[in-house]
Amino acid sequence: MGPRGASVSEFLHMGGYGFYVWTSYGAALVVLGLNVAAPIVRRRRLVRERPGTSAPARATEPPPSLK
Amino acid sequence: MLITAMVAGLGVATGLAVLAIGENMLWFFTPSQLLADQPPPGNRIRLGGLVVEGSVRRRPGDLEVRFDLSDRAAAVTVAFRGLLPDLFREGQGIVALGRLDADGVLQAEEVLAKHDETYMPPEIAESIGEAKVAERAAAAERKP
Amino acid sequence: MTLRRYASPRHFHDLAGRLIPWLGWPCAVLMAAGLWTGLVIAPPDYQQGDAYRIIFVHVPSAWLSLFVYAAMAGSAAAGLIWRTKVAEAATVACAPVGASFTFLALLTGSLWGKPMWGTWWVWDARLTSELVLLFLYLGIIALNGAISDPRKASRACAILAIVGLVDLPIIHFSVEWWNTLHQGATVFRLDGPSIHPSMLVPLLLMVAAFTLFFLAVLLMRVRCEVLHRERHSRWVREVRA
């Protein structure tokens, strides 16, 4: 694997700190993923909705920032 | 509605900030501050300093470990039973939470390691360490 | 005036749409390089071993928690002064992004603190002031949700965002002003970074990648926000068609 000459299992072990390191990177992946997904989903919804019917329905919906 | 929400938001934020500033901002005492302040024995205090080289001693057959914390101007002895953090070692920054006993020893219930903002590979640290040892040896030779 | 032209929601929507890939792809490349150099190439730390590698996600998210807030306050001021619709939309679009990265900074800090310091959390000045930042973001999100008129909501959020600016210097200088368990600054210090180049390179790559990431998702969110706010105008109907 890289110049450290470590095997895959050694790499995952992270010198005994694997749990802390990989949980951190996993959490980062989730936060990055949600930040990309949220505006994509919202845009799809905004483009699809019909302007005539959506406006009154929207007023009772929770605000977009909380979704 | 608008004003209520804003006041609530601001209130929570400032309340937390004031609470934090008042109580916890000076999060620990240094040994000099502690000796100058002389808090009454029995008060729970946090003490932060470097573990003095060669001061770590364990009593055989006992879980208790004792070490001196120093800020280079003063030192206070800490006694602790329990699991020390991975970073605990001589020369390391440590913050201990506990009460001073009658002998001026801090009976700690919690010991945390405070690492510094320096990051480097072990080989570099080793060569810096060797340089420091050589420096110290040279200084010692110059003294007499 | 060209500036006003681009500040119009419609032109912003078009321009941002073309700009997003130009931010997204460099972000992906930088992040891949940062992860490779940070997790594989960089040596372990002399004291912390491999646990210090959390720095490569912790510092970029902590950096973004401050940077996003500054951007939010900046657009808040612009929205209040010039009543620019796009700036008003950007103020509320920043808040959820900033909140998520503040949360990530606190979480990864906790995951780093447990093995190194020996505790998940302490109420020292740095951690407390960063937690206050999270509450500021959440307060702005809640305030925006509580007011149904988007423009009024934006202005209310803008005031709260500007008031909350006082927390930024407190966070940055907390480690100098008070005794904290958190260590001092590594990168942003007067005498230069106190980190070995082999570890500084991945750190800077990740900081750059996270910053581009924020700019890309901000543009995505502001596009949604203006689509929603201008939903009755003709150009939005054209976009939908």
Side-chain angles (χ1 to χ4, degrees):
Chain A
M1 179 91 247
R4 285 191 293 142
S7 68
V8 173
S9 70
E10 223 174 298
F11 179 65
L12 293 178
H13 189 245
M14 278 287 157
Y17 298 114
F19 168 76
Y20 302 102
V21 173
W22 296 119
T23 311
S24 296
Y25 280 81
L29 191 72
V30 170
V31 167
L32 292 172
L34 287 178
N35 269 303
V36 174
I40 290 176
V41 170
R42 187 174 179 213
R43 184 179 173 80
R44 228 175 261 165
R45 206 171 289 160
L46 284 169
V47 170
R48 222 183 283 145
E49 81 187 3
R50 274 165 297 161
T53 56
S54 66
R58 277 228 147 239
T60 56
E61 264 180 60
S65 55
L66 288 176
K67 277 184 206 159
Chain B
M1 179 67 218
L2 165 105
I3 292 162
T4 328
M6 284 206 55
V7 168
L10 276 176
V12 169
T14 44
L16 268 165
V18 168
L19 196 84
I21 288 166
E23 225 176 296
N24 297 300
M25 281 307 191
L26 193 72
W27 195 67
F28 61 79
F29 291 100
T30 63
S32 313
Q33 285 169 339
L34 188 72
L35 294 179
D37 248 36
Q38 291 291 351
N43 273 21
R44 270 175 113 210
I45 46 163
R46 281 202 179 83
L47 176 73
L50 300 174
V51 179
V52 177
E53 306 264 346
S55 74
V56 182
R57 48 210 183 267
R58 284 165 218 270
R59 265 185 292 177
D62 193 350
L63 285 170
E64 191 190 79
V65 54
R66 278 174 182 249
F67 52 89
D68 298 340
L69 281 187
S70 146
D71 59 359
R72 296 208 170 88
V76 171
T77 301
V78 177
F80 179 63
R81 289 158 194 276
L83 209 60
L84 291 164
D86 287 9
L87 275 185
F88 182 91
R89 58 198 75 170
E90 292 178 354
Q92 181 70 44
I94 288 292
V95 177
L97 169 70
R99 296 167 211 273
L100 280 180
D101 67 10
D103 306 324
V105 173
L106 188 84
Q107 296 290 340
E109 49 199 86
E110 181 182 55
V111 169
L112 302 176
K114 176 175 160 62
H115 63 77
D116 64 9
E117 61 273 24
T118 315
Y119 305 89
M120 58 182 144
E123 310 85 62
I124 307 271
E126 228 162 78
S127 62
I128 289 177
E130 278 162 21
K132 269 195 187 149
V133 170
E135 225 171 78
R136 245 181 253 159
E141 257 171 51
R142 257 180 271 128
K143 253 183 206 163
Chain C
M1 221 180 113
T2 45
L3 191 69
R4 183 157 295 169
R5 209 171 85 94
Y6 283 115
S8 88
R10 181 188 182 167
H11 284 97
F12 172 85
H13 184 269
D14 292 349
L15 184 68
R18 271 177 278 143
L19 221 63
I20 288 165
W22 291 96
L23 295 165
W25 285 109
C27 164
V29 171
L30 288 174
M31 200 169 290
L35 287 174
W36 176 255
T37 50
L39 288 172
V40 181
I41 308 282
D45 180 57
Y46 75 119
Q47 283 210 312
Q48 305 189 36
D50 286 314
Y52 92 100
R53 290 179 202 280
I54 294 172
I55 201 174
F56 302 126
V57 287
H58 175 71
V59 166
S61 38
W63 151 251
L64 270 196
S65 73
L66 302 180
F67 182 73
V68 173
Y69 200 94
M72 180 171 70
S75 74
L80 286 179
I81 296 167
W82 295 299
R83 304 266 152 139
T84 323
K85 286 180 179 174
V86 172
E88 291 177 350
T91 306
V92 298
C94 280
V97 186
S100 67
F101 282 101
T102 309
F103 170 75
L104 187 60
L106 290 168
L107 180 72
T108 53
S110 190
L111 283 160
W112 193 0
K114 183 60 190 170
M116 289 300 110
W117 296 343
T119 181
W120 298 102
W121 182 263
V122 290
W123 291 100
D124 81 348
R126 170 55 71 82
L127 278 66
T128 307
S129 55
E130 182 77 8
L131 185 66
V132 168
L133 187 70
L134 179 62
F135 287 132
L136 279 168
Y137 277 123
L138 295 179
I140 287 164
I141 293 172
L143 188 58
N144 182 44
I147 303 167
S148 50
D149 177 0
R151 297 203 69 178
K152 271 189 200 151
S154 281
R155 280 198 283 276
C157 291
I159 294 167
L160 182 51
I162 290 167
V163 171
L165 265 180
V166 292
D167 196 31
L168 294 200
I170 294 178
I171 293 172
H172 182 74
F173 293 109
S174 56
V175 290
E176 292 173 25
W177 292 344
W178 299 286
N179 294 339
T180 54
L181 187 61
H182 196 287
Q183 69 282 7
T186 294
V187 178
F188 301 104
R189 44 188 291 146
L190 292 175
D191 55 348
S194 60
I195 178 167
H196 192 262
S198 60
M199 303 159 167
L200 180 62
V201 167
L203 186 59
L204 293 180
L205 285 170
M206 291 299 277
V207 167
F210 271 55
T211 309
L212 287 177
F213 179 87
F214 159 63
L215 295 174
V217 296
L218 176 68
L219 290 184
M220 290 165 77
R221 276 179 187 270
V222 180
R223 284 183 99 211
C224 291
E225 198 61 40
V226 297
L227 270 190
H228 171 58
R229 292 178 178 210
E230 304 282 306
R231 62 187 174 281
H232 300 301
S233 66
R234 187 189 286 173
W235 73 269
V236 173
R237 264 177 244 153
E238 281 166 14
V239 168
R240 283 214 194 90

